[in-house]
Amino acid sequence: MEKVESYYLYGGWQEVWSHSSETLDCSMKFAIYLPEQAKEKKLPVLYYLSGLTCTEQNVMTKSGIQRYASEQGVIIVMPDTSPRGEQVADSPDYDLGQGAGFYVNATQSPWNKHYQMYHYILNELPHLIENNFPVTGKKSIMGHSMGGHGALVLALKNPEKYVSVSAFSPIVSPSSVAWGEKAFGHYLGENKQDWKKYDAVNLILEGNSVEHILVDQGLADNFYQSQLKTELLENACKQMNVNIDVRYHQNYDHSYYFIASFIEDHVRYHSERLNASLSQ
């Protein structure tokens, strides 16, 4: 690994590292915030998955998450959203290719050579973090939009791996909206049964469960009705008795202004559950 950026804020260090990923077969970057407490002891980790067109930079520069991570004593890991590089398949469209990995393991050419984001987030990146930083091994996951989709799917499919999950404006049922249909068709092929493996609503209806889900959704979000369809998740959870707290907010849109307004709640939400898990 190579450290490529480092900034001191709120008593801790915001770093960006690059490394060669075996899973993605390319060079990757991730951001990590290490609060002051990390000097003295191992801390739990909160993974934040970003949305379409984003990199590891968006949440670290726009959300203010570091302040609350320092207050709560939680390490934040912020990966990129897709494989990168000249050799990596891409598209001129913002919702496909680099910047739009959708946190799936692609099975279709040319995407399958590099687009294995599900396994990267689930296995390779945590292994890297746990072997190079002062972490406890307890981790939670959250995300925004496409990243909210990724966080929900990873937690629902691997409840033993994550203590808690939350999302801002998640794509809850990519199999039934244009963003997901486009990406899944390219990455996974035309068999829609394969799509359901990465669809949070379908996973819940099939019996996958977590202890609790926190979701924040802005009602002025341009994508709310057409691409996000938050109520589908809410209804599926009610049908399957999965505990969910969906908070709808007047006037808030899809931007990082929305995320910055409520990111403290999410960090506290995860910190409480992570700290409780350490005592078990």
Side-chain angles (χ1 to χ4, degrees):
M1 297 197 309
E2 179 186 2
K3 188 191 297 184
V4 293
E5 294 181 47
S6 182
Y7 312 99
Y8 189 71
L9 72 165
Y10 297 114
W13 289 98
Q14 175 64 68
E15 301 174 349
V16 177
W17 291 77
S18 68
H19 73 104
S20 178
S21 169
E22 293 184 7
T23 304
L24 306 179
D25 192 22
C26 66
S27 178
M28 289 293 288
K29 290 181 181 178
F30 67 87
I32 184 169
Y33 180 69
L34 301 161
E36 187 175 17
Q37 298 94 318
K39 297 176 183 177
E40 307 293 333
K41 61 180 181 179
K42 294 182 178 181
L43 299 177
V45 179
L46 175 56
Y47 286 81
Y48 179 99
L49 306 185
S50 291
L52 286 167
T53 75
C54 292
T55 69
E56 78 288 340
Q57 294 285 324
N58 294 72
V59 65
M60 86 177 219
T61 60
K62 295 180 178 181
S63 72
I65 196 171
Q66 298 92 342
R67 175 179 179 177
Y68 310 113
S70 280
E71 290 176 358
Q72 298 298 316
V74 176
I75 289 171
I76 312 293
V77 173
M78 301 153 270
D80 201 350
T81 53
S82 75
R84 305 277 179 175
E86 292 183 3
Q87 79 281 17
V88 175
D90 199 8
S91 165
D93 300 337
Y94 78 96
D95 51 357
L96 184 69
Q98 295 186 36
F102 268 85
Y103 305 100
V104 303
N105 290 332
T107 59
Q108 305 299 301
S109 180
W111 312 101
N112 55 342
K113 179 172 173 57
H114 300 285
Y115 285 75
Q116 304 293 313
M117 286 297 294
Y118 178 86
H119 277 157
Y120 175 73
I121 299 297
L122 180 65
N123 298 316
E124 183 178 3
L125 184 58
H127 180 77
L128 199 66
I129 298 300
E130 290 163 12
N131 280 279
N132 290 279
F133 298 96
V135 303
T136 62
K138 295 289 186 179
K139 57 183 181 291
S140 292
I141 192 164
M142 66 176 295
H144 171 230
S145 193
M146 178 184 71
H149 140 73
L152 290 169
V153 168
L154 280 153
L156 287 165
K157 289 167 72 74
N158 307 277
E160 76 286 355
K161 297 278 190 179
Y162 301 100
V163 173
S164 52
V165 61
S166 72
F168 285 96
S169 317
I171 307 171
V172 303
S173 184
S175 296
S176 61
V177 300
W179 276 344
E181 290 172 351
K182 180 176 181 177
F184 285 8
H186 281 83
Y187 297 151
L188 304 174
E190 296 305 315
N191 185 353
K192 293 190 176 183
Q193 290 301 119
D194 294 331
W195 301 8
K196 292 181 178 180
K197 301 173 186 176
Y198 299 101
D199 186 300
V201 169
N202 182 75
L203 289 170
I204 289 168
L205 293 176
E206 287 189 342
N208 292 268
S209 182
V210 293
E211 185 174 334
H212 187 268
I213 299 171
L214 172 65
V215 171
D216 277 312
Q217 177 62 58
L219 292 176
D221 187 326
N222 290 337
F223 305 114
Y224 167 44
Q225 298 291 343
S226 61
Q227 303 281 8
L228 309 179
K229 299 191 175 184
T230 314
E231 285 84 2
L232 293 178
L233 178 68
E234 193 172 15
N235 292 337
C237 286
K238 288 179 180 178
Q239 180 178 332
M240 301 301 293
N241 296 314
V242 175
N243 190 10
I244 188 169
D245 184 9
V246 181
R247 310 190 304 182
Y248 296 96
H249 304 276
Q250 293 286 345
N251 302 318
Y252 285 96
D253 60 15
H254 201 69
S255 72
Y256 267 84
Y257 295 111
F258 172 46
I259 294 170
S261 299
F262 298 101
I263 194 73
E264 179 181 6
D265 293 353
H266 285 247
V267 175
R268 288 182 179 276
Y269 170 85
H270 291 292
S271 175
E272 290 172 1
R273 286 159 174 78
L274 285 163
N275 288 326
S277 73
L278 292 173
S279 61
Q280 294 176 354

